[in-house]
Structure formats: structure tokens, C-alpha cells
Amino acid sequence: MTRCDLPSANPRLRAAAAFWIAVLLAISVRVGASPRSNSVYPIFVAAGQRWAAGDSVYLEETPGLDQFRYSPLVAAWFGAWSGWPEPAGAIVWRWLNAAVLFGGLACWLRWQERSAELGAALILIAPLAIGGLNNGQCNAAIAGLLLIAQVCFAREQWWPAAGAVAMAALIKQYPIALGLLLAILEPRRFAPRLAVTVAIGLAAPFLLSDPRYVADQYVAWWGRVLGDDRTAYPLANSYRDLQMLLRVWGWPLSLSGYRLLELALAVAAAAGVVFAARRGHRRHVVWSCGALSMCWMTVAGPATESSTYVLAAPLLAACVLDRGSESRVVRVASSISWMLLTVGATAVWWPRPIAQAITATGIQPLAGALLSLAVVALVIRGSKSATRERSGLRAAA
């Protein structure tokens, strides 16, 4: 797909690698001893088994399990995956997610000529990544795919970039946000490829089972996506997004009102990309697409949970590690955001009443909003720097 060589080993990177190996081994031991405890993997396996049997994947209630909310392609994938013994499959699934995240992070930092920061970044993303990897969430893999997509796009590897975005969007729909922003930059070379890869992913399940059965699953899946409404849930159980923050501040919105706000923020992100494209360097513009989409997917996304914030973890780590002379305010804001997200992510380690009290404050969307402001500042700063550089070159000529 793209060349993503790791930097030569250094003490910090070796320490980070040792730390993560220890964490993943500990998770593997726990999963091997109790594969259904604190795990969403059984939800995937149950959906895969129902797919293989030709039964409805999108049941209203699954005894002992949460609802399956992913696309029919994911159900088909786990239809094949479910043949593994559950403990082994659960362990391999977690290591696969970690590998995609770490590989994507290494590619992304190398593309930005910041490979030396990989060790520190691996440590900084840990608080936001460990929880999701521990319970088998797929957000780590999605984060890695979106990082790889940015690198491939910047290198004009259009098909791999489109494929990475499509894979992420076919798992959870909102990663298409990055694809749409990148399509603004390359409407002729990237947008058609993105449409083709998404179409192939949507059509693939029809080749794997009876078309009428697959069509019924798509109808049920779409109904589940549209019917997902947590605006009236208790704060501790609602999505960790801007809607939660508005409820904490006493400004609740209806689901339709919040969808309009999401759309308005998406348009603002697109405007930010257009602004950066007119003024910034190519690398800065692609970075802006990734950064703005990550902020939107977490703070204003349609289904933000605690584990979703791993999508923003690489961006957050990069902002904290930014040593640019003009970025002190950005580093401070990013550092505060990292600390708040760490508190929110590790709240689950406390007794349930304490954990719920912490998350109900809106600490995670507040941190995400703070990171978003830092990103907007970086988008503007990078664009102005590029403009000044071009003006200087013209004056010198």
C-alpha cells in the first residue's frame, strides 16, 4: 500500500514497544481466562454466526449482548471469523486492531518527518487506546486506516487511499467524513475511486449470501442506524459528544436539531479545507483534512463513545509533542485536552457510581472541543505561514 518503514530503534521507542507488548500480553491473558468478560467481541461473533446461518443479524435484543450496529459486510466478515475458537479469535482480533493502529501511526509520523516522536506518541495514545483494545472495540483499526489513508492520499496513491477510507466507513459509517474532505481536494482523481471502493464494499455481501436475505439485512441495518437516539438517555449512558456537553450546560437539543448542528459543523470543516487548500502547502492541506475530520467524528459525530476518542489520539499526541516556536498555546490546550481525555478514559477503572459521575460532567466532549480549537488554530497558522513563504519567494524573484 505505502512504504512505512519504522525509524531506527531508540531507547524511547524500545521502551514504548516493551510497554505495549506487556499491555497486549496482559490483555491476552485476561481474554483467554474470561473471553466474554468486558468484551464486545461476542457481539461480533454472534452476528457472524447468524449471518452464516441465514438468520436475522439485526435482532432487537440479543440475550446477554448489546445490539449489532455494523454493516452487513462486517457481519459477513465475522461469519468466516466465527469459525475460530472464541478465546483465540478474541485475542487475534485485539492484536490485529493494535497492529493497524501502530502501523498507521508510524506511517503518519514518518510522512510528517516526525518519526523520532513515535516512541513518545505510542505512550501518549495509550490511555485512549487501552480500554478499546481491552474490550475488543474496532476503533483502533479505524484510526489506523484513516491515518494510512492520509499518507496514501498525500503520495497520490489514490486507490489505496480510497480503499482505506472505504474499509473504515464500511465498519462505522462516519469515517466517510475524511473521504469527503479529501474529495474536495481531488474531485476528479480521488472522488470517483472512493465511490467505486465504497460501492464494491456495499455490493460484496450480495456475492456471499442469498441476495434477498442480504437486502433484508441492509433494510434492517439502515433502520437501526436511523433509529439510534440517545438524546433522552441519562447523561452517564448517552453519547460522549457535543450534545452531551450542551445538556450539561442546560442547552439540550432534539435529535433533529443536533443533526442540523452536526451538518453545520461538517460544512465548517469543509470550509476550513477550502481555506487551507487556497493558502497552504500540500502536506498541510492533507493534514488539515485529517485533523478536522477527526475532530468532527469525535466531538460532533453521530455515535461517539469513550472508545471513539482513540480516533483523535494520534492527532492529540502530535499536537502535544509539537515543538514549533509559535505553538505554545496549542501545546498547552492540547495537553489539557489529553489530561481530560485520560481522566475520562480511565474513569471506568473506578467504582461504577464514581465513573458515571465523572463521565456525566461532559469531560470528554469538553476535551474534544478544546482539541478542535487547537486544530483550527493550527490550520490557520499553517496556511498563513505558507502564504508568507510564497510572498517572500515572489519578492525575492
Side-chain angles (χ1 to χ4, degrees):
M1 180 177 289
T2 183
R3 189 168 181 264
C4 301
D5 301 326
L6 291 175
S8 57
N10 57 65
R12 185 174 294 177
L13 179 57
R14 288 196 296 269
F19 167 79
W20 270 109
I21 290 173
V23 167
L24 292 172
L25 287 174
I27 291 174
S28 299
V29 170
R30 184 200 70 78
V31 171
S34 182
R36 287 185 167 258
S37 175
N38 189 26
S39 177
V40 299
Y41 179 77
I43 301 172
F44 302 146
V45 173
Q49 291 170 342
R50 289 196 294 269
W51 173 275
D55 297 331
S56 177
V57 172
Y58 303 96
L59 300 176
E60 289 301 321
E61 294 183 5
T62 304
L65 299 175
D66 198 357
Q67 293 181 338
F68 182 75
R69 297 182 174 88
Y70 304 91
S71 72
L73 182 63
V74 178
W77 162 271
F78 279 100
W81 192 281
S82 61
W84 288 57
E86 187 166 322
I91 292 171
V92 172
W93 172 246
R94 286 163 169 83
W95 281 79
L96 175 62
N97 275 266
V100 176
L101 172 61
F102 300 156
L105 179 61
C107 289
W108 189 67
L109 289 175
R110 183 180 179 83
W111 163 62
Q112 296 181 71
E113 300 178 354
R114 299 176 66 176
S115 293
E117 299 175 356
L118 178 58
L122 285 170
I123 297 300
L124 287 172
I125 68 171
L128 304 185
I130 289 176
L133 291 171
N134 181 51
N135 66 14
Q137 292 278 358
C138 57
N139 293 301
I142 292 174
L145 287 170
L146 296 180
L147 295 175
I148 291 170
Q150 293 173 57
V151 177
C152 291
F153 183 93
R155 295 175 177 171
E156 299 187 356
Q157 298 170 341
W158 310 119
W159 283 111
V165 173
M167 287 174 62
L170 289 166
I171 299 173
K172 293 190 174 182
Q173 299 72 59
Y174 49 78
I176 198 65
L178 173 61
L180 295 176
L181 292 184
L182 294 175
I184 293 174
L185 301 182
E186 292 289 348
R188 293 184 178 180
R189 293 190 287 183
F190 178 75
R193 290 173 171 83
L194 178 62
V196 169
T197 51
V198 171
I200 290 173
L202 292 173
F206 288 96
L207 303 177
L208 303 174
S209 189
D210 178 71
R212 289 174 296 181
Y213 165 74
V214 176
D216 290 340
Q217 299 314 299
Y218 268 110
V219 171
W221 172 54
W222 191 242
R224 176 153 297 173
V225 170
L226 294 179
D228 189 16
D229 182 7
R230 299 191 189 183
T231 54
Y233 278 34
L235 280 172
N237 299 325
S238 62
Y239 283 130
R240 313 298 202 251
D241 55 12
L242 187 57
Q243 168 72 314
M244 178 189 223
L245 201 58
L246 293 175
R247 290 177 63 190
V248 170
W249 291 345
W251 304 330
L253 293 176
S254 64
L255 180 61
S256 58
Y258 184 62
R259 292 289 180 254
L260 289 174
L261 177 59
E262 286 178 321
L263 180 60
L265 292 174
V267 172
V273 168
V274 173
F275 171 81
R278 290 181 176 179
R279 297 171 178 266
H281 292 303
R282 177 74 171 185
R283 181 188 299 171
H284 173 69
V285 176
V286 177
W287 179 91
S288 298
C289 286
L292 291 170
S293 65
M294 297 298 177
C295 291
W296 183 87
M297 285 185 280
T298 50
V299 180
T304 302
E305 298 175 326
S306 292
S307 61
T308 310
Y309 279 94
V310 72
L311 299 181
L315 171 65
L316 184 58
C319 290
V320 171
L321 295 170
D322 188 351
R323 300 302 177 188
S325 60
E326 298 177 322
S327 60
R328 184 176 300 174
V329 174
V330 170
R331 289 205 311 274
V332 170
S334 303
S335 298
I336 294 173
S337 176
W338 181 85
M339 288 187 287
L340 293 176
L341 284 174
T342 297
V343 171
T346 57
V348 294
W349 302 347
W350 294 87
R352 188 177 181 85
I354 298 177
Q356 290 185 335
I358 292 173
T359 56
T361 61
I363 188 172
Q364 290 162 305
L366 176 61
L370 191 59
L371 174 62
S372 300
L373 293 176
V375 164
V376 170
L378 286 173
V379 170
I380 295 173
R381 190 193 74 182
S383 301
K384 287 183 176 179
S385 298
T387 300
R388 288 196 299 268
E389 182 179 334
R390 285 197 296 269
S391 299
L393 290 173
R394 284 195 297 266

mmCIF file of all heavy atoms in Angstrom, residues 263-292:
data_model
loop_
_atom_site.group_PDB
_atom_site.id
_atom_site.type_symbol
_atom_site.label_atom_id
_atom_site.label_comp_id
_atom_site.label_asym_id
_atom_site.label_seq_id
_atom_site.Cartn_x
_atom_site.Cartn_y
_atom_site.Cartn_z
ATOM 1 N N LEU A 263 -24.410 18.833 10.863
ATOM 2 C CA LEU A 263 -24.255 19.204 9.455
ATOM 3 C C LEU A 263 -23.571 20.563 9.322
ATOM 4 O O LEU A 263 -22.695 20.747 8.464
ATOM 5 C CB LEU A 263 -25.628 19.223 8.774
ATOM 6 C CG LEU A 263 -25.649 19.603 7.294
ATOM 7 C CD1 LEU A 263 -24.815 18.608 6.482
ATOM 8 C CD2 LEU A 263 -27.088 19.643 6.773
ATOM 9 N N ALA A 264 -23.954 21.517 10.163
ATOM 10 C CA ALA A 264 -23.340 22.844 10.113
ATOM 11 C C ALA A 264 -21.850 22.766 10.420
ATOM 12 O O ALA A 264 -21.027 23.423 9.762
ATOM 13 C CB ALA A 264 -24.041 23.776 11.102
ATOM 14 N N LEU A 265 -21.465 21.947 11.393
ATOM 15 C CA LEU A 265 -20.053 21.801 11.726
ATOM 16 C C LEU A 265 -19.297 21.072 10.616
ATOM 17 O O LEU A 265 -18.116 21.362 10.362
ATOM 18 C CB LEU A 265 -19.910 21.051 13.050
ATOM 19 C CG LEU A 265 -20.401 21.822 14.284
ATOM 20 C CD1 LEU A 265 -20.357 20.939 15.516
ATOM 21 C CD2 LEU A 265 -19.559 23.075 14.507
ATOM 22 N N ALA A 266 -19.963 20.139 9.943
ATOM 23 C CA ALA A 266 -19.333 19.467 8.806
ATOM 24 C C ALA A 266 -19.060 20.464 7.673
ATOM 25 O O ALA A 266 -17.998 20.431 7.038
ATOM 26 C CB ALA A 266 -20.218 18.332 8.315
ATOM 27 N N VAL A 267 -20.019 21.355 7.423
ATOM 28 C CA VAL A 267 -19.829 22.390 6.404
ATOM 29 C C VAL A 267 -18.683 23.320 6.803
ATOM 30 O O VAL A 267 -17.864 23.724 5.959
ATOM 31 C CB VAL A 267 -21.138 23.182 6.201
ATOM 32 C CG1 VAL A 267 -20.905 24.385 5.306
ATOM 33 C CG2 VAL A 267 -22.217 22.279 5.619
ATOM 34 N N ALA A 268 -18.589 23.630 8.106
ATOM 35 C CA ALA A 268 -17.490 24.475 8.576
ATOM 36 C C ALA A 268 -16.150 23.785 8.359
ATOM 37 O O ALA A 268 -15.162 24.424 7.974
ATOM 38 C CB ALA A 268 -17.687 24.806 10.054
ATOM 39 N N ALA A 269 -16.093 22.473 8.590
ATOM 40 C CA ALA A 269 -14.852 21.725 8.346
ATOM 41 C C ALA A 269 -14.483 21.755 6.870
ATOM 42 O O ALA A 269 -13.315 21.933 6.506
ATOM 43 C CB ALA A 269 -15.008 20.287 8.829
ATOM 44 N N ALA A 270 -15.488 21.592 6.004
ATOM 45 C CA ALA A 270 -15.228 21.662 4.561
ATOM 46 C C ALA A 270 -14.712 23.046 4.174
ATOM 47 O O ALA A 270 -13.791 23.176 3.349
ATOM 48 C CB ALA A 270 -16.503 21.331 3.792
ATOM 49 N N ALA A 271 -15.292 24.090 4.780
ATOM 50 C CA ALA A 271 -14.811 25.449 4.500
ATOM 51 C C ALA A 271 -13.367 25.621 4.963
ATOM 52 O O ALA A 271 -12.560 26.294 4.299
ATOM 53 C CB ALA A 271 -15.712 26.466 5.194
ATOM 54 N N GLY A 272 -13.015 24.999 6.096
ATOM 55 C CA GLY A 272 -11.644 25.055 6.572
ATOM 56 C C GLY A 272 -10.678 24.394 5.604
ATOM 57 O O GLY A 272 -9.557 24.876 5.398
ATOM 58 N N VAL A 273 -11.108 23.294 4.983
ATOM 59 C CA VAL A 273 -10.262 22.611 3.998
ATOM 60 C C VAL A 273 -10.071 23.489 2.770
ATOM 61 O O VAL A 273 -8.967 23.596 2.227
ATOM 62 C CB VAL A 273 -10.882 21.250 3.619
ATOM 63 C CG1 VAL A 273 -10.189 20.656 2.397
ATOM 64 C CG2 VAL A 273 -10.799 20.296 4.803
ATOM 65 N N VAL A 274 -11.138 24.137 2.311
ATOM 66 C CA VAL A 274 -11.037 25.027 1.158
ATOM 67 C C VAL A 274 -10.093 26.186 1.468
ATOM 68 O O VAL A 274 -9.252 26.568 0.642
ATOM 69 C CB VAL A 274 -12.427 25.551 0.754
ATOM 70 C CG1 VAL A 274 -12.309 26.614 -0.326
ATOM 71 C CG2 VAL A 274 -13.308 24.400 0.281
ATOM 72 N N PHE A 275 -10.207 26.736 2.674
ATOM 73 C CA PHE A 275 -9.316 27.824 3.097
ATOM 74 C C PHE A 275 -7.861 27.364 3.081
ATOM 75 O O PHE A 275 -6.974 28.049 2.555
ATOM 76 C CB PHE A 275 -9.713 28.283 4.505
ATOM 77 C CG PHE A 275 -8.737 29.239 5.133
ATOM 78 C CD1 PHE A 275 -8.755 30.583 4.818
ATOM 79 C CD2 PHE A 275 -7.800 28.781 6.061
ATOM 80 C CE1 PHE A 275 -7.857 31.462 5.403
ATOM 81 C CE2 PHE A 275 -6.900 29.645 6.651
ATOM 82 C CZ PHE A 275 -6.930 30.996 6.320
ATOM 83 N N ALA A 276 -7.606 26.173 3.658
ATOM 84 C CA ALA A 276 -6.236 25.662 3.698
ATOM 85 C C ALA A 276 -5.713 25.353 2.297
ATOM 86 O O ALA A 276 -4.537 25.576 1.999
ATOM 87 C CB ALA A 276 -6.180 24.410 4.577
ATOM 88 N N ALA A 277 -6.601 24.837 1.426
ATOM 89 C CA ALA A 277 -6.170 24.472 0.069
ATOM 90 C C ALA A 277 -5.750 25.693 -0.730
ATOM 91 O O ALA A 277 -4.879 25.598 -1.603
ATOM 92 C CB ALA A 277 -7.303 23.736 -0.649
ATOM 93 N N ARG A 278 -6.353 26.843 -0.476
ATOM 94 C CA ARG A 278 -6.015 28.059 -1.215
ATOM 95 C C ARG A 278 -4.729 28.708 -0.717
ATOM 96 O O ARG A 278 -4.107 29.467 -1.447
ATOM 97 C CB ARG A 278 -7.166 29.056 -1.108
ATOM 98 C CG ARG A 278 -8.410 28.621 -1.878
ATOM 99 C CD ARG A 278 -9.509 29.662 -1.744
ATOM 100 N NE ARG A 278 -10.669 29.299 -2.560
ATOM 101 C CZ ARG A 278 -11.798 30.009 -2.621
ATOM 102 N NH1 ARG A 278 -11.902 31.136 -1.914
ATOM 103 N NH2 ARG A 278 -12.799 29.613 -3.374
ATOM 104 N N ARG A 279 -4.329 28.380 0.507
ATOM 105 C CA ARG A 279 -3.209 29.098 1.098
ATOM 106 C C ARG A 279 -2.044 28.199 1.524
ATOM 107 O O ARG A 279 -0.912 28.666 1.602
ATOM 108 C CB ARG A 279 -3.692 29.880 2.347
ATOM 109 C CG ARG A 279 -4.712 30.951 2.043
ATOM 110 C CD ARG A 279 -5.294 31.520 3.327
ATOM 111 N NE ARG A 279 -6.245 32.591 3.072
ATOM 112 C CZ ARG A 279 -5.938 33.878 3.055
ATOM 113 N NH1 ARG A 279 -4.689 34.253 3.284
ATOM 114 N NH2 ARG A 279 -6.844 34.792 2.818
ATOM 115 N N GLY A 280 -2.310 26.926 1.842
ATOM 116 C CA GLY A 280 -1.309 26.101 2.475
ATOM 117 C C GLY A 280 -0.555 25.193 1.526
ATOM 118 O O GLY A 280 -0.908 25.025 0.363
ATOM 119 N N HIS A 281 0.516 24.578 2.052
ATOM 120 C CA HIS A 281 1.252 23.566 1.321
ATOM 121 C C HIS A 281 0.428 22.287 1.259
ATOM 122 O O HIS A 281 -0.489 22.074 2.050
ATOM 123 C CB HIS A 281 2.593 23.277 2.011
ATOM 124 C CG HIS A 281 3.558 24.418 1.935
ATOM 125 N ND1 HIS A 281 3.961 24.957 0.739
ATOM 126 C CD2 HIS A 281 4.199 25.118 2.913
ATOM 127 C CE1 HIS A 281 4.826 25.942 0.980
ATOM 128 N NE2 HIS A 281 4.975 26.061 2.282
ATOM 129 N N ARG A 282 0.803 21.411 0.329
ATOM 130 C CA ARG A 282 0.064 20.170 0.134
ATOM 131 C C ARG A 282 0.007 19.347 1.419
ATOM 132 O O ARG A 282 -1.058 18.861 1.798
ATOM 133 C CB ARG A 282 0.735 19.358 -0.978
ATOM 134 C CG ARG A 282 0.116 17.994 -1.237
ATOM 135 C CD ARG A 282 -1.187 18.128 -1.960
ATOM 136 N NE ARG A 282 -1.680 16.834 -2.407
ATOM 137 C CZ ARG A 282 -2.763 16.676 -3.142
ATOM 138 N NH1 ARG A 282 -3.477 17.720 -3.519
ATOM 139 N NH2 ARG A 282 -3.160 15.480 -3.516
ATOM 140 N N ARG A 283 1.145 19.182 2.093
ATOM 141 C CA ARG A 283 1.144 18.365 3.305
ATOM 142 C C ARG A 283 0.240 18.972 4.368
ATOM 143 O O ARG A 283 -0.504 18.259 5.043
ATOM 144 C CB ARG A 283 2.570 18.233 3.841
ATOM 145 C CG ARG A 283 2.652 17.360 5.091
ATOM 146 C CD ARG A 283 4.033 17.412 5.717
ATOM 147 N NE ARG A 283 5.045 16.922 4.804
ATOM 148 C CZ ARG A 283 6.352 17.026 5.046
ATOM 149 N NH1 ARG A 283 6.780 17.606 6.146
ATOM 150 N NH2 ARG A 283 7.234 16.561 4.173
ATOM 151 N N HIS A 284 0.305 20.286 4.498
ATOM 152 C CA HIS A 284 -0.538 20.941 5.498
ATOM 153 C C HIS A 284 -2.018 20.790 5.161
ATOM 154 O O HIS A 284 -2.850 20.590 6.060
ATOM 155 C CB HIS A 284 -0.182 22.427 5.588
ATOM 156 C CG HIS A 284 -1.107 23.219 6.464
ATOM 157 N ND1 HIS A 284 -1.147 23.072 7.828
ATOM 158 C CD2 HIS A 284 -2.060 24.156 6.158
ATOM 159 C CE1 HIS A 284 -2.068 23.877 8.333
ATOM 160 N NE2 HIS A 284 -2.625 24.544 7.345
ATOM 161 N N VAL A 285 -2.359 20.851 3.892
ATOM 162 C CA VAL A 285 -3.759 20.743 3.486
ATOM 163 C C VAL A 285 -4.293 19.336 3.783
ATOM 164 O O VAL A 285 -5.394 19.187 4.326
ATOM 165 C CB VAL A 285 -3.918 21.074 1.989
ATOM 166 C CG1 VAL A 285 -5.365 20.860 1.553
ATOM 167 C CG2 VAL A 285 -3.502 22.511 1.722
ATOM 168 N N VAL A 286 -3.513 18.310 3.447
ATOM 169 C CA VAL A 286 -3.954 16.937 3.733
ATOM 170 C C VAL A 286 -4.043 16.721 5.238
ATOM 171 O O VAL A 286 -4.987 16.096 5.736
ATOM 172 C CB VAL A 286 -2.997 15.922 3.083
ATOM 173 C CG1 VAL A 286 -3.404 14.497 3.450
ATOM 174 C CG2 VAL A 286 -3.004 16.084 1.567
ATOM 175 N N TRP A 287 -3.053 17.248 5.971
ATOM 176 C CA TRP A 287 -3.118 17.163 7.432
ATOM 177 C C TRP A 287 -4.389 17.840 7.954
ATOM 178 O O TRP A 287 -5.042 17.325 8.870
ATOM 179 C CB TRP A 287 -1.889 17.836 8.050
ATOM 180 C CG TRP A 287 -1.905 17.819 9.553
ATOM 181 C CD1 TRP A 287 -1.381 16.874 10.372
ATOM 182 C CD2 TRP A 287 -2.500 18.817 10.410
ATOM 183 N NE1 TRP A 287 -1.616 17.202 11.689
ATOM 184 C CE2 TRP A 287 -2.300 18.388 11.738
ATOM 185 C CE3 TRP A 287 -3.182 20.006 10.187
ATOM 186 C CZ2 TRP A 287 -2.744 19.119 12.834
ATOM 187 C CZ3 TRP A 287 -3.639 20.733 11.283
ATOM 188 C CH2 TRP A 287 -3.414 20.299 12.582
ATOM 189 N N SER A 288 -4.736 18.970 7.389
ATOM 190 C CA SER A 288 -5.944 19.692 7.814
ATOM 191 C C SER A 288 -7.187 18.835 7.597
ATOM 192 O O SER A 288 -8.095 18.810 8.437
ATOM 193 C CB SER A 288 -6.062 21.017 7.053
ATOM 194 O OG SER A 288 -4.972 21.867 7.333
ATOM 195 N N CYS A 289 -7.255 18.138 6.464
ATOM 196 C CA CYS A 289 -8.392 17.241 6.210
ATOM 197 C C CYS A 289 -8.493 16.188 7.302
ATOM 198 O O CYS A 289 -9.579 15.938 7.853
ATOM 199 C CB CYS A 289 -8.234 16.551 4.855
ATOM 200 S SG CYS A 289 -8.526 17.599 3.432
ATOM 201 N N GLY A 290 -7.363 15.565 7.616
ATOM 202 C CA GLY A 290 -7.377 14.534 8.643
ATOM 203 C C GLY A 290 -7.739 15.082 10.004
ATOM 204 O O GLY A 290 -8.557 14.506 10.726
ATOM 205 N N ALA A 291 -7.130 16.204 10.372
ATOM 206 C CA ALA A 291 -7.349 16.770 11.701
ATOM 207 C C ALA A 291 -8.795 17.232 11.880
ATOM 208 O O ALA A 291 -9.439 16.937 12.895
ATOM 209 C CB ALA A 291 -6.383 17.929 11.931
ATOM 210 N N LEU A 292 -9.321 17.952 10.907
ATOM 211 C CA LEU A 292 -10.695 18.450 11.021
ATOM 212 C C LEU A 292 -11.701 17.307 11.028
ATOM 213 O O LEU A 292 -12.699 17.347 11.757
ATOM 214 C CB LEU A 292 -10.986 19.420 9.884
ATOM 215 C CG LEU A 292 -10.236 20.763 9.948
ATOM 216 C CD1 LEU A 292 -10.416 21.547 8.649
ATOM 217 C CD2 LEU A 292 -10.711 21.595 11.141
#
